[in-house]
Amino acid sequence: MTSDNPASAQVQLRTDGDVDRETLAYARQKIDAVLNRPGLPAVTGEVRITRATAHHGEHPWTATADVRVDGRQVVVLAEEATGHEVVDQLQGRLRRQTDKAAHTWDVGRRPVAPPWRGGRPGLASGESHDAHPA
């Protein structure tokens, strides 16, 4: 699903700086594991892994993901000391955020109008009162 070629993939994997092939392959494997899960709607966008040229910083590796899950935008950022650590952090955050985007609104949660605007008190959306007062 991830690719360096924009025409062949829905999610593009890009790099900036001195990113080695091993880290790139590891990132592609981890990102594909998150985005190719069964039940996840269509995902499009871009993941970028950057290694800073100045290595005196504490976290020279950064990763950003800007993807759309079924039309909902998900942005994830990660910073770490090594390439594998930043990919692992990105994977965990991306999994949580894509799960939220894919499933939170599918449950049918909608704001409930307050009683003074016609809403029924004590009722969350999708619930119904089956009990009748005696």
Side-chain angles (χ1 to χ4, degrees):
M1 183 171 203
T2 58
S3 174
D4 298 327
N5 182 0
S8 68
Q10 295 176 355
V11 176
Q12 298 175 23
L13 179 60
R14 297 180 185 230
T15 61
D16 288 330
D18 188 23
V19 178
D20 55 295
R21 289 181 187 263
E22 179 187 344
T23 302
L24 186 61
Y26 184 72
R28 186 170 285 120
Q29 174 190 3
K30 293 292 188 169
I31 293 164
D32 281 345
V34 171
L35 301 180
N36 287 333
R37 293 176 310 194
L40 194 65
V43 179
T44 59
E46 177 180 285
V47 175
R48 185 176 298 269
I49 298 175
T50 305
R51 183 174 183 185
T53 54
H55 300 289
H56 62 276
E58 195 172 311
H59 300 291
W61 288 88
T62 59
T64 58
D66 185 1
V67 297
R68 290 199 168 269
V69 178
D70 200 26
R72 292 178 185 92
Q73 185 175 21
V74 174
V75 178
V76 179
L77 306 171
E79 291 183 344
E80 282 298 330
T82 68
H84 283 263
E85 289 174 350
V86 79
V87 169
D88 290 340
Q89 188 179 74
L90 180 76
Q91 180 191 26
R93 291 178 179 180
L94 189 59
R95 179 178 299 272
R96 284 189 300 275
Q97 294 299 321
T98 54
D99 283 348
K100 264 184 170 177
H103 301 295
T104 299
W105 296 105
D106 290 343
V107 176
R109 296 181 185 166
R110 294 185 192 106
V112 177
W116 58 88
R117 291 197 177 165
R120 294 177 61 188
L123 252 184
S125 75
E127 294 179 6
S128 64
H129 284 296
D130 291 332
H132 299 284

